[in-house]
Amino acid sequence: LGDVYKRQVIMIVTAFTLNAQSLVKYHGEINAGYSVGIGTFATNRVNVHTIQGVDISKYFSTGVGIGLDYYHELYEKGELVLPLFLNMKGYLPATETVSPFFSLDLGVGIGLTKGVDGMAGFICTPSVGVKLSHCTLQVGYNMQRNSEYGFGYTMGSIQMKLGYIF
């Protein structure tokens, strides 16, 4: 009975491992976009982000993102912020090439240039989009919560992105 049990456990673990390896695949993505500022601290910005992660299945992907946000309306020369975030996407495949999705970015934005040096704030970006073969189109709300000298403020924007998944 012991040997039979051991063989069954080994077969189940092997089948699970082979199945998991076939489902999980590398997911790389690059996105370029523009964010139109809304609210009290409305500031427009240009976005370039990349996400490196895995497709868990045809219904879900996750990864770590990094990018640059250029706040071209801040001060005279504009300012650069480095977003670092976790991205999660849920897909609803309609056909082999078309998949609507919901995406969520959670992370932090770190000021890189003189006017925003030392600034860091929480970032949350829920969005909806569609994947067309390897290209994506998405629209979402980008919220960055900043705090300086005990004063907190939110810089919100409507974000539109065009991307490529590789």
Side-chain angles (χ1 to χ4, degrees), residues 114-137:
K114 187 176 180 180
V116 292
D117 184 35
M119 180 188 82
F122 173 72
I123 293 176
C124 178
T125 309
S127 61
V128 294
V130 63
K131 180 175 125 179
L132 306 165
S133 189
H134 291 283
C135 295
T136 61
L137 298 166

Side-chain angles (χ1 to χ4, degrees), residues 14-91:
T14 303
F16 178 76
T17 303
L18 292 174
N19 191 30
Q21 288 175 350
S22 67
L23 291 177
V24 176
K25 296 182 216 167
Y26 169 74
H27 177 99
E29 187 173 331
I30 185 135
N31 295 293
Y34 192 78
S35 299
V36 178
I38 58 173
T40 305
F41 295 97
T43 305
N44 298 341
R45 55 206 130 189
V46 176
N47 319 103
V48 178
H49 299 162
T50 184
I51 298 167
Q52 304 302 309
V54 293
D55 287 329
I56 305 295
S57 71
K58 67 179 182 178
Y59 301 105
F60 184 73
S61 70
T62 188
V64 176
I66 188 169
L68 279 177
D69 290 346
Y70 175 57
Y71 290 72
H72 59 87
E73 296 178 339
L74 284 179
Y75 309 114
E76 291 179 16
K77 295 181 182 179
E79 300 293 344
L80 287 175
V81 173
L82 176 80
L84 299 170
F85 55 93
L86 173 66
N87 172 264
M88 297 163 282
K89 281 191 182 69
Y91 298 94

Side-chain angles (χ1 to χ4, degrees), residues 132-153:
L132 306 165
S133 189
H134 291 283
C135 295
T136 61
L137 298 166
Q138 61 184 325
V139 175
Y141 175 73
N142 175 257
M143 184 275 299
Q144 180 163 345
R145 180 79 182 153
N146 298 314
S147 182
E148 293 180 289
Y149 310 111
F151 174 70
Y153 57 95

